[in-house]
Amino acid sequence: MRVLGIETSCDETGVAVYDTETGLRAHALYSQIALHAEYGGVVPELASRDHVRKLLPLIRQTLGEAGLDIADLDGVAYTAGPGLVGALMVGAAAGRALAWSLEVPAIGVHHMEGHLLAPLLEDPSLQPPFVALLVSGGHTQLVAVEAIGDYRLLGETLDDAAGEAFDKTAKLMGLPYPGGPELARLAESGRPGLFKFSRPMTDRPGLDFSFSGLKTQVLLAWQASDRSDQTRADIARGFEDAVVDTLAIKCERALKQSGARTLVIAGGVGANLRLRAKLQQMTGKLGGRACFPRPAFCTDNGAMIAFAGALRLQSGQQADATVTVAPRWDMASLPPV
């Protein structure tokens, strides 16, 4: 079954073709970073308009790279939520119209399920049960995965997500947009231990997160500092260490509580090299393993949507003819595969 995947939940237009027999055939991604940089963040209306401009050319490009004609498709998957409503509508309308014209099934995919399943895209041996840490721009969640489609929320952020905290902290220190990756790069030249920030909510039971207070600590440290380039790097390193340690402590706690031996990490923050090393070390000590998608599949992409959609289409699930999206969508409400 050859499935076209479309991702337009925020500021990246992603398209891919996944073949259930041969694997990923082709994928392409267009980022709107340059468009939104002058505003210091994503402007929803501009994001929607740029998806309209880029989506069809990307579909043609991806099909060409896959060596397929549009009539060779057996199904269409598109991100139906969560995300920006206008951006979601672009992908959903295009995907549903394309499926209708080809008389093939279509399905709306949960964006975070796409992230969660991304590591399975290239590692078929990875199967539930496992614990998943989902750390994208607007989400920080720990999820117990008993089977595909059987998800139980263990903990989530009570305020800022880890990705948001990276972006906002970078902005308050004057780093360019997008701030999170810039802060992580800057932290590489920072000296460890010069700035010691708290590991929020690790001194109490439970698996929830909170990063807004950490962001405030960094602001106060930055305002009281000499604001030199080296100090900026040192603060960035202290902040990154605090976030990484907090995530690792909560993940270790989740693995012990659930009895799982495998930790899956997905979402944009999952590309952070220090986080990867820390979680691999932690799971190794527990006799388990940490599984990541390749960095290109940590951020939003069409491949994860094509793959997640193919699994559900293969099981007989499909959307009706209406075009609907869900800017807010609880992943626990998804039907099992």
Side-chain angles (χ1 to χ4, degrees), residues 180-229:
E182 290 293 329
L183 189 148
R185 278 192 285 270
L186 183 62
E188 293 177 6
S189 58
R191 294 169 292 185
L194 265 69
F195 288 87
K196 183 75 172 180
F197 301 114
S198 66
R199 277 53 175 163
M201 296 185 68
T202 57
D203 59 348
R204 66 187 74 176
L207 296 172
D208 287 331
F209 302 90
S210 172
F211 293 105
S212 62
L214 177 59
K215 180 185 63 182
T216 302
Q217 291 178 47
V218 173
L219 173 61
L220 295 175
W222 174 243
Q223 290 176 336
S225 74
D226 60 9
R227 305 195 184 190
S228 67
D229 289 343

Side-chain angles (χ1 to χ4, degrees), residues 152-188:
R152 178 168 52 90
L153 182 66
L154 301 175
E156 62 184 340
T157 185
L158 304 179
D159 41 58
D160 287 347
E164 287 176 316
F166 263 95
D167 290 339
K168 291 177 181 179
T169 300
K171 188 173 183 178
L172 68 85
M173 289 199 298
L175 297 178
Y177 175 85
E182 290 293 329
L183 189 148
R185 278 192 285 270
L186 183 62
E188 293 177 6

Side-chain angles (χ1 to χ4, degrees), residues 55-298:
L55 182 53
L56 291 182
L58 272 183
I59 290 175
R60 296 189 189 101
Q61 174 188 330
T62 305
L63 287 171
E65 292 175 358
L68 299 172
D69 184 77
I70 197 166
D72 295 325
L73 295 174
D74 302 306
V76 179
Y78 53 87
T79 302
L84 301 175
V85 63
L88 291 168
M89 283 298 296
V90 174
R96 198 65 199 81
L98 180 59
W100 179 81
S101 68
L102 296 174
E103 298 183 335
V104 299
I107 191 162
V109 173
H110 193 290
H111 179 75
M112 295 310 295
E113 182 177 50
H115 276 304
L116 188 152
L117 298 178
L120 283 69
L121 178 61
E122 297 175 299
D123 184 4
S125 69
L126 176 59
Q127 294 295 324
F130 54 76
V131 169
L133 171 67
L134 303 180
V135 275
S136 67
H139 298 82
T140 299
Q141 299 176 328
L142 279 166
V143 179
V145 180
E146 300 300 330
I148 296 175
D150 184 358
Y151 308 128
R152 178 168 52 90
L153 182 66
L154 301 175
E156 62 184 340
T157 185
L158 304 179
D159 41 58
D160 287 347
E164 287 176 316
F166 263 95
D167 290 339
K168 291 177 181 179
T169 300
K171 188 173 183 178
L172 68 85
M173 289 199 298
L175 297 178
Y177 175 85
E182 290 293 329
L183 189 148
R185 278 192 285 270
L186 183 62
E188 293 177 6
S189 58
R191 294 169 292 185
L194 265 69
F195 288 87
K196 183 75 172 180
F197 301 114
S198 66
R199 277 53 175 163
M201 296 185 68
T202 57
D203 59 348
R204 66 187 74 176
L207 296 172
D208 287 331
F209 302 90
S210 172
F211 293 105
S212 62
L214 177 59
K215 180 185 63 182
T216 302
Q217 291 178 47
V218 173
L219 173 61
L220 295 175
W222 174 243
Q223 290 176 336
S225 74
D226 60 9
R227 305 195 184 190
S228 67
D229 289 343
Q230 184 59 57
T231 297
R232 182 187 275 111
D234 293 340
I235 291 176
R237 176 61 186 268
F239 168 81
E240 185 181 62
D241 284 345
V243 173
V244 167
D245 285 351
T246 300
L247 293 173
I249 290 168
K250 295 286 186 172
C251 286
E252 180 175 2
R253 192 175 295 173
L255 288 172
K256 289 179 177 178
Q257 289 183 11
S258 66
R261 296 173 60 84
T262 301
L263 177 68
V264 165
I265 303 93
V269 182
N272 183 280
L273 297 179
R274 193 161 282 115
L275 178 63
R276 286 181 172 237
K278 185 80 172 183
L279 294 180
Q280 286 172 337
Q281 179 186 48
M282 180 272 292
T283 53
K285 287 182 178 179
L286 295 178
R289 61 170 178 156
C291 302
F292 305 83
R294 68 167 99 159
F297 292 161
C298 286

